[in-house]
Amino acid sequence: MNNNNKNIPEEAFDWYDSYAHGGMDRRTFMKKLTGLVALGYSMTTLTGALFPNYALAEQVSFNDAEITATYLNFPSPQGHGEGRGYLVLPKSITTNTGDAPVKKAPVVLVVHENRGLNPYVKDVARRLAKAGFIAFAPDALFPLGGYPGNDDEGRSMQRSLERSKIEQDFVAAANFIKSHELSNDKLGVVGFCFGGYMVNYLAAVDSKLIDAGVPFYGTPASKELRKNIKAPLMIQLGELDERVNASWPEYEKDLKANNVEYVMHMYENAKHGFHNDSTGRYDQANADLAWSRTIGFFNSKLA
């Protein structure tokens, strides 16, 4: 974690989590921060720690010589009619020439948080491609023109869309990218926050849809769907994320009852969003460990 954030009261991060997930409006959130300013904290320091700075989130450039990034539209008849996603391919599978056989690779669907396909999630897709996977990151906000460039507007836009149609858009995206000509017919899914929920949902809505899932701090699918889960799961949780962690005991009970292969990692002193390197909640040591485990899990389940 950034040392500059250690002195910020934990309650400020809790307020941001509530604000980011619809638990309080922006006016209330800023009023609470103003109360901390009265106690001697700088508003610049507070907002700098809590709000994302996407200039910090690029670990793999879109110009990286080892990947090729583009966009693809896909049909979503049960959702919003059509979706769009950010497709990143490893150059290692796109450089075959002549009569050489086409080299195929496992596919990973990347699901963003509750505010559309922001730069952090696109970078996650590029990281996966650097690791040898075909990565596809749909934007739930495509029906409204796509991620608007700021998170506040993105959250409002995503809340305005019908949840069931968003879910069907991601089902359609999963089916679409799994059938990509370079796919080895194995599909993993990784997601963060809302995206973590979507990993759990995709595993539960159709037992044959995905082959492995890694939800980062995501709530489970509805209880009646959980009996369908067959794919192995790696659950990534932050110790300080009380809101999401409250759902884990019941979810684990259902996974055990249905003989689902799973592992849960609880990251010490990690907040909700600890993998997101664009915010003050980022915890580099835990994020790096969680990511190395994610890549290892996909390598073992999707090869």
Side-chain angles (χ1 to χ4, degrees), residues 1 21 40 65 81 92 112 130 156 200-201 208 231 247 268 286:
M1 185 185 302
H21 295 91
S92 61
H112 58 67
K130 282 274 285 189
S156 296
N200 290 321
Y201 175 80
K208 298 180 179 179
S247 67
E268 186 177 359
N286 279 322

Side-chain angles (χ1 to χ4, degrees), residues 281-294:
R281 298 173 294 168
Y282 177 54
D283 183 327
Q284 183 174 357
N286 279 322
D288 288 350
L289 177 58
W291 191 245
S292 67
R293 285 170 168 169
T294 298

Side-chain angles (χ1 to χ4, degrees), residues 253-264:
K253 182 178 179 180
D254 289 338
L255 293 177
K256 287 181 175 178
N258 292 300
N259 296 312
V260 176
E261 178 188 345
Y262 77 93
V263 61
M264 187 276 282

